[in-house]
Amino acid sequence: SNSLAHVRSGDKWGVINKNGDLVHSCDYDSITQFESGVALAVKDNVMKFYLYSDGRSQELSTVPETG
């Protein structure tokens, strides 16, 4: 299994593997624990992403706010 750990740089979070290599850069306000190879991350307090243990990320569709 992939051994991943959260890493903090300033006030942002990223993910490293057991070798200390950056899997996801420290661009995120928060990242949940990985479950089945997927974590949920929040960027700029509004954008949500799925982060995958293999280094891929996918932005979640956001519904535009109506005024």
Side-chain angles (χ1 to χ4, degrees), residues 16-62:
I16 57 172
N17 63 20
K18 62 186 176 189
N19 299 322
D21 300 318
L22 210 54
V23 178
H24 291 284
S25 57
C26 296
D27 292 329
Y28 300 95
D29 299 313
S30 64
I31 303 173
T32 64
Q33 295 299 316
F34 279 87
E35 241 177 84
S36 303
V38 185
L40 183 64
V42 177
K43 187 175 183 177
D44 299 330
N45 292 313
V46 289
M47 293 186 292
K48 291 186 172 127
F49 293 81
Y50 283 131
L51 301 186
Y52 297 94
S53 56
D54 64 3
R56 292 179 301 124
S57 63
Q58 175 186 358
E59 185 174 358
L60 300 184
S61 303
T62 53

